[in-house]
Amino acid sequence: MSELRKDKKKVIGEHFDDERIQSFFQHPAPEGMNQDYHLLEKAYRGMREENFATFVTFFVERGHDLNAPGPDGKTFLQGIQDHRMADEYITALKKAGAH
């Protein structure tokens, strides 16, 4: 089993309140990438499952598109279907209406 490099330590117990979760809406997408897809990707990579579910709720409440296409034309949900540890993220997306 490989160890994480010292500068790549996993953060355990990091606190994500609603304000912190909503701060993820401040990430502008790179040129040519759909903003809604980009926001979902940022949240997925930066949050634990329960925080991501809260983010998805805020995402929908703000009128964002859960089915926005990514660079490959797939929705974010379609893109993470085969990720090994994505089950709870997938559940949150589907409950909110993603396909």
Side-chain angles (χ1 to χ4, degrees):
M1 181 162 106
S2 66
E3 291 186 359
L4 295 174
R5 291 186 349 218
K6 288 182 182 181
D7 64 335
K8 297 294 183 191
K9 288 183 182 177
K10 184 174 183 178
V11 177
I12 298 174
E14 187 174 2
H15 181 66
F16 274 76
D17 59 11
D18 286 355
E19 184 177 338
R20 173 82 188 275
I21 291 169
Q22 291 197 41
S23 74
F24 277 72
F25 288 101
Q26 298 171 13
H27 295 283
E31 188 173 332
M33 180 178 272
N34 180 289
Q35 178 66 19
D36 288 344
Y37 183 93
H38 176 70
L39 292 174
L40 289 169
E41 183 177 55
K42 279 297 221 187
Y44 174 72
R45 291 177 186 233
M47 295 181 185
R48 295 182 358 203
E49 297 93 343
E50 62 271 14
N51 304 124
F52 183 78
T54 302
F55 175 83
V56 168
T57 299
F58 292 146
F59 188 86
V60 171
E61 287 173 354
R62 289 174 172 231
H64 291 280
D65 182 6
L66 284 171
N67 298 306
D72 60 0
K74 294 180 181 178
T75 67
F76 187 74
L77 176 61
Q78 292 168 336
I80 65 168
Q81 291 288 347
D82 63 346
H83 290 191
R84 197 168 48 96
M85 305 293 282
D87 289 348
E88 291 186 43
Y89 296 91
I90 289 168
T91 298
L93 288 164
K94 285 183 176 178
K95 278 185 180 179
H99 54 272

